[in-house]
Amino acid sequence: RNRKERGKKQRECSNVKISVVKTTTPRVKPDQNNLGFGRFFTDHMFIMDYAEDLGWHDARIIPYGPFPMDPACAVMHYGQAVFEGMKAYRSPEGKILLFRPEQNMARLNRSNQRMSIPQFDEDFALQAITQLVALDRDWIPEAPGTALYLRPFVFATDSVLGVRASSTYRFMVILSPVGPYYQEGLNPVSIWVEPHYIRAVRGGTGYAKAAGNYAGSLLAQKNAQAKGYSQVLWLDGLERKYVEEVGAMNVFFNIGGVLITPDLGDSILPGITRDSVLTLLRSWDIPTEERDLEVAEIFRAHAEGRLVEAFGCGTAAVISPIGRLGWKDQAIEIGGGKIGAISQRLYDTVTGIQTGRLEDPFGWVLELDN
Ligand SMILES: *Cc1c(COP(=O)(O)O)cnc(C)c1O
């Protein structure tokens, strides 16, 4: 192997030691039964910085809080930023569990690659995350449906105006105790098929968890809410004909007993929940298809009485049943406004494995040893 190849494979991390400064003013913990989503943060956060000459360096855990930023900071002008979302759970035996966290680290590096942000050492970052979670372990809520949400993110920090990749970056992890994503719980939500705006397009940044993707989605989301829908169903950017995702979730339709989800191109975020759902369905011998799916096919299946259930899936809500779908001047009800049998089974199984209440046949759960 030549040097160039080696350099590409190698992930930069010049300082593997993490310094820890503990808070002297612990925060008051919120009411576990009224957490909402992403509103409360724990006592500590993880930071490491990148510079071209130092690589990733100065890894540290410090008290949670604001930090100064230069008004010229690149991320605030050109949006060079990516993030992840994952959860830590407490098992009935009091163990701390993470769900497929190495997948989140790998995806964060793929997002970095797309946004011209340097690669980081995935094992080291995961080690830092487990150390942070262990330090703030008393913040992991225990009420049913709750978890500790972990938010790793990376952003550009050069204080220079000019459209180019930054030469310095910051990697951070913050933690938030969360309740169920939807106030309504597992009740089906209504979804608006967005006919005009698109989330992502071939050759774009849709497969990356890039901050700007979400900024661009807000207007359609707001318009859908004004119409009485809770989320939008995104269509493909070329023909606005094929289903892509629902809000910030992947999407499945049960048509005549076959669970259909759009196949991954570069405009769809490769969800870890999506992958887990497909693995479970296959293990249950339920037929699945990853393929192009036209909205028209869904409405046709409904008219023929073959549309059995539909749901979105992602870390935040796990499984979110779709009870109503509005498209142009039509609206259809799915599953009589109730959660479908397969949706319920998937929710129970995924959350059961995540929280250590069910066996983990696929080796998905990482148990922290402290
Ligand atoms: C995060 C995300 C998902 C779900 O991914 P998970 O790994 O299952 O949490 C799906 N779509 C979009 C656009 C997302 O940002």
Side-chain angles (χ1 to χ4, degrees):
R1 255 203 216 170
N2 66 31
R3 256 184 81 203
K4 205 165 168 198
E5 270 176 353
R6 255 204 331 270
K8 210 167 142 198
K9 259 263 172 304
Q10 198 180 8
R11 301 229 148 93
E12 294 182 69
C13 189
S14 35
N15 182 359
V16 271
K17 216 181 139 285
I18 303 170
S19 71
V20 180
V21 176
K22 287 190 189 165
T23 184
T24 52
T25 51
R27 300 160 162 236
V28 178
K29 295 191 179 57
D31 173 9
Q32 284 204 22
N33 299 309
N34 193 18
L35 289 170
F37 198 90
R39 291 159 54 220
F40 302 100
F41 298 96
T42 67
D43 283 325
H44 300 92
M45 60 185 183
F46 172 77
I47 305 185
M48 66 178 170
D49 291 311
Y50 180 88
E52 275 169 359
D53 48 342
L54 297 171
W56 288 105
H57 65 282
D58 204 6
R60 57 206 188 272
I61 290 172
I62 60 172
Y64 184 94
F67 52 90
M69 280 174 99
D70 193 285
C73 187
V75 68
M76 293 193 279
H77 302 274
Y78 311 115
Q80 204 188 353
V82 298
F83 68 96
E84 268 304 322
M86 50 211 283
K87 282 175 172 173
Y89 309 83
R90 176 117 33 204
S91 78
E93 298 81 38
K95 294 259 164 54
I96 302 169
L97 308 177
L98 299 182
F99 185 70
R100 311 185 73 183
E102 70 292 340
Q103 298 284 329
N104 295 89
M105 295 299 99
R107 189 170 65 191
L108 189 54
N109 254 340
R110 291 200 302 274
S111 298
N112 277 355
Q113 198 278 332
R114 179 65 183 84
M115 304 308 286
S116 284
I117 299 173
Q119 300 285 290
F120 60 90
D121 184 306
E122 292 165 20
D123 294 334
F124 174 72
L126 185 51
Q127 214 177 296
I129 286 172
T130 58
Q131 195 174 330
L132 179 66
V133 170
L135 179 63
D136 282 345
R137 60 158 79 70
D138 292 347
W139 286 83
I140 305 175
E142 280 163 27
T146 66
L148 186 67
Y149 186 76
L150 324 187
R151 167 54 58 86
F153 56 111
V154 191
F155 57 95
T157 55
D158 274 4
S159 301
V160 182
L161 298 183
V163 183
R164 56 168 178 74
S166 182
S167 65
T168 59
Y169 296 88
R170 177 161 283 186
F171 181 122
M172 299 186 66
V173 185
I174 56 175
L175 312 176
S176 173
V178 297
Y181 193 71
Y182 286 109
Q183 207 66 53
E184 316 96 273
L186 256 189
N187 290 333
V189 294
S190 52
I191 299 295
W192 171 248
V193 181
E194 172 56 48
H196 176 70
Y197 296 110
I198 58 160
R199 193 193 83 88
V201 72
R202 198 189 298 166
T205 58
Y207 70 94
K209 250 176 145 69
N213 290 347
Y214 304 84
S217 76
L218 300 177
L219 181 57
Q221 156 89 10
K222 206 168 83 177
N223 292 344
Q225 282 174 348
K227 286 190 175 66
Y229 292 87
S230 71
Q231 287 284 350
V232 299
L233 183 76
W234 297 108
L235 302 183
D236 75 281
L238 296 178
E239 299 180 67
R240 295 189 188 80
K241 194 166 139 187
Y242 302 100
V243 170
E244 295 222 323
E245 300 202 52
V246 57
M249 290 184 286
N250 296 112
V251 68
F252 282 78
F253 291 86
N254 179 346
I255 296 181
V258 181
L259 275 282
I260 305 166
T261 192
D263 47 355
L264 296 175
D266 60 6
S267 61
I268 291 179
L269 197 291
I272 295 158
T273 317
R274 174 189 182 277
D275 182 76
S276 307
V277 161
L278 282 170
T279 302
L280 284 171
L281 291 170
R282 286 171 189 143
S283 78
W284 297 336
D285 290 324
I286 292 173
T288 60
E289 285 176 7
E290 293 175 79
R291 63 163 170 89
D292 289 345
L293 176 61
E294 285 185 40
V295 193
E297 181 183 341
I298 296 168
F299 277 71
R300 212 159 47 234
H302 177 265
E304 294 163 359
R306 294 188 304 116
L307 180 59
V308 185
E309 57 194 303
F311 60 87
C313 65
T315 297
V318 188
I319 300 290
S320 179
I322 298 172
R324 202 161 71 98
L325 201 56
W327 181 43
K328 297 177 184 164
D329 53 1
Q330 316 171 53
I332 55 174
E333 200 184 63
I334 305 174
K338 290 204 298 277
I339 181 168
I342 294 175
S343 308
Q344 182 73 57
R345 185 176 177 198
L346 284 165
Y347 179 84
D348 293 342
T349 308
V350 174
T351 57
I353 294 172
Q354 286 172 332
T355 57
R357 285 178 286 112
L358 289 182
E359 200 196 322
D360 172 27
F362 307 102
W364 283 338
V365 172
L366 176 72
E367 184 181 308
L368 272 58
D369 49 27
N370 17 28

